[in-house]
Amino acid sequence: MSAFARALAVAGLVAFLSASSALSSPRRAGTRVLTYRSPQALHTLLARTGLKVRRNLPALHAVEVVNSTVGARPVPRYLSTQPESTEPAVRDMYWVGVPYEWEYTAAHVDQVPDSVLRAAANIKIAVVDTGVDLRQPDIAAKAPQVYSVIHPRNRSDVRDYYGHGTFVASLAAGSVTNGEGIAGFGGDAQLLCVQVAHADGSISDVDEAAGIVYAVTHGAKIINLSLGGLEPSTLETRAVRYAQRHGILVVAAAGNEFHEGNPVEFPAALLQPKGSDGRGGSGLSVGASTLKGERASFSNAGSYVSLAAPGENVFAAMSGYSDWPRAPLPGSSAGDYGFSSGTSFSTPEVAGAAALVWAANPRLAARQVATVLKRTASGHGIWTPGLGFGVLDVAAAVQLAPSIGPAVPAAKKLLRRVH
């Protein structure tokens, strides 16, 4: 690859370069057409490469460009056949061939069509967690709705001192078009952050239930529960069932206690019941996988695991209010970022993926979305206790979704009175 092509790749070209033969008349020598995902992405590319716009077609998200840098090489004929992200964590490499946000490409979110990423704007993901740092660029760009269950005098005070909720929210639905930080799995999905935990991370079943109900009544289509305990709660069960009766897909973490006896976690086991071996269920219980696609050593295993998603040393946004270890992110000028592990962080990846599946086929019912994600995971329909139906494959799920017909309601029994 030429030095100029490498410069373009580092700058995060958001589309492909098309050959001049694709047009009915020739263009000026040295020019090419770029398609881009957002005005911010185009601005970032132009600022870093020295390319000059000759013609702009904003309605088509396309520009004809010419290299304006004196003495630079000509614009290459081709750079890529796949769109590339302008989000630094996806674009820049931590190791050779491995981006900082390796989980994004490992789950093939980078292969999802732009049209689906944009259509996800009609879907709202609720992250019921420890709160969120609204100052983080990928969160701020989404202008999320917020609500605190634990601060009755100031419901908008959702500052995340524990740090967990910010990491989760950025993975579920962090901006994919702001040219900063990471890329959330949910494309342009809306974000609702409901704070149900205190500063020490503790959560009562009453607060959890209240958070779930708030998410239901405020338009959530997907509820992410990166939380759990060893005993089922009657109130938690009622809240989960309430959400499901309203057509909401609930996604929960399978737990991180494999080395402490591998217990069954709730609410995950409410969604994929113990003994089900991945069959049926009313939601998704998510385990964690590694860079190699294997079960993370800490991730719980067993009959209540639906599928897995990257969860070992994944990269996301950090809360500036917390003391979680930070990692520098080349190419980002703002925000806090770092690595962390847990099924808590696999779960929002699946929640974001569910938003893209629904964006690809809005007619699907919640259980159908769950089934699509299971069927297209790396297990190819084969279930195992460690990874469930395998590791999340978002592109495959989005590709399958349009072929699934709408759910047919079960026939209601006709009741007759005895006269």
Side-chain angles (χ1 to χ4, degrees):
M1 182 183 289
S2 70
F4 188 72
R6 285 197 299 272
L8 282 178
V10 172
L13 181 59
V14 187
F16 60 88
L17 296 171
S18 56
S20 60
S21 59
L23 297 183
S24 58
S25 59
R27 292 193 298 268
R28 181 183 299 176
T31 67
R32 289 293 182 268
V33 170
L34 308 181
T35 59
Y36 56 91
R37 287 182 175 175
S38 69
Q40 297 94 326
L42 176 62
H43 176 77
T44 300
L45 174 65
L46 297 176
R48 293 180 179 177
T49 63
L51 293 173
K52 181 180 180 181
V53 174
R54 183 167 174 246
R55 285 188 295 177
N56 189 2
L57 302 172
L60 304 179
H61 275 208
V63 288
E64 183 182 23
V65 298
V66 61
N67 183 12
S68 62
T69 304
V70 176
R73 296 171 183 261
V75 180
R77 184 176 180 84
Y78 290 104
L79 178 62
S80 172
T81 58
Q82 289 289 340
E84 295 182 23
S85 177
T86 56
E87 308 306 288
V90 178
R91 180 189 72 220
D92 296 331
M93 298 296 127
Y94 185 70
W95 294 307
V96 176
V98 180
Y100 279 77
E101 195 183 351
W102 66 268
E103 64 269 21
Y104 193 83
T105 52
H108 304 148
V109 194
D110 58 326
Q111 298 175 22
V112 173
D114 278 359
S115 59
V116 175
L117 298 178
R118 304 289 83 80
N122 295 315
I123 309 297
K124 184 182 293 184
I125 302 173
V127 172
V128 177
D129 215 289
T130 64
V132 68
D133 184 349
L134 295 170
R135 304 170 302 176
Q136 297 306 315
D138 288 301
I139 303 296
K142 283 297 184 77
Q145 292 178 260
V146 298
Y147 181 81
S148 176
V149 168
I150 63 172
H151 294 141
R153 294 184 179 179
N154 185 3
R155 297 298 189 186
S156 63
D157 182 5
V158 293
R159 285 174 288 183
D160 183 17
Y161 293 104
Y162 192 72
H164 191 271
T166 302
F167 205 86
V168 169
S170 67
L171 285 168
S175 175
V176 299
T177 59
N178 67 332
E180 187 64 79
I182 72 155
F185 275 55
D188 287 352
Q190 301 170 54
L191 183 59
L192 166 60
C193 297
V194 184
Q195 184 184 55
V196 297
H198 295 271
D200 62 357
S202 62
I203 305 171
S204 74
D205 60 347
V206 178
D207 289 336
E208 177 193 355
I212 292 172
V213 170
Y214 184 88
V216 172
T217 57
H218 287 79
K221 195 71 173 173
I222 301 157
I223 294 179
N224 186 96
L225 300 175
S226 290
L227 50 84
L230 304 184
E231 297 292 334
S233 158
T234 299
L235 190 57
E236 176 184 65
T237 302
R238 293 183 67 177
V240 168
R241 300 294 181 242
Y242 174 78
Q244 292 172 332
R245 286 197 303 272
H246 284 79
I248 293 168
L249 177 64
V250 183
V251 187
N256 308 320
E257 296 81 26
F258 186 82
H259 297 300
E260 287 78 51
N262 190 34
V264 175
E265 281 267 7
F266 295 87
L270 296 176
L271 310 174
Q272 189 71 65
K274 182 180 178 181
S276 67
D277 291 349
R279 297 184 300 271
S282 58
L284 292 169
S285 168
V286 184
S289 60
T290 68
L291 178 62
K292 295 181 178 180
E294 301 169 346
R295 182 185 65 83
S297 62
F298 56 81
S299 181
N300 288 3
S303 60
Y304 75 105
V305 176
S306 305
L307 77 168
E312 182 181 70
N313 294 324
V314 296
F315 193 82
M318 294 282 187
S319 171
Y321 300 111
S322 73
D323 58 359
W324 287 26
R326 307 296 200 268
L329 177 58
S332 273
S333 59
D336 299 289
Y337 308 95
F339 294 93
S340 195
S341 299
T343 57
S344 279
F345 311 132
S346 311
T347 305
E349 296 168 3
V350 173
L356 298 183
V357 169
W358 243 321
N361 187 350
R363 301 173 300 166
L364 298 179
R367 292 196 186 198
Q368 289 181 299
V369 173
T371 299
V372 166
L373 290 167
K374 291 180 189 178
R375 284 178 57 184
T376 54
S378 65
H380 303 292
I382 298 174
W383 181 91
T384 64
L387 292 174
F389 282 102
V391 180
L392 176 70
D393 187 332
V394 184
V398 166
Q399 184 177 17
L400 176 63
S403 68
I404 307 299
V408 178
K412 295 182 179 180
K413 293 182 179 179
L414 180 62
L415 300 179
R416 291 183 173 87
R417 294 178 181 273
V418 175
H419 294 287

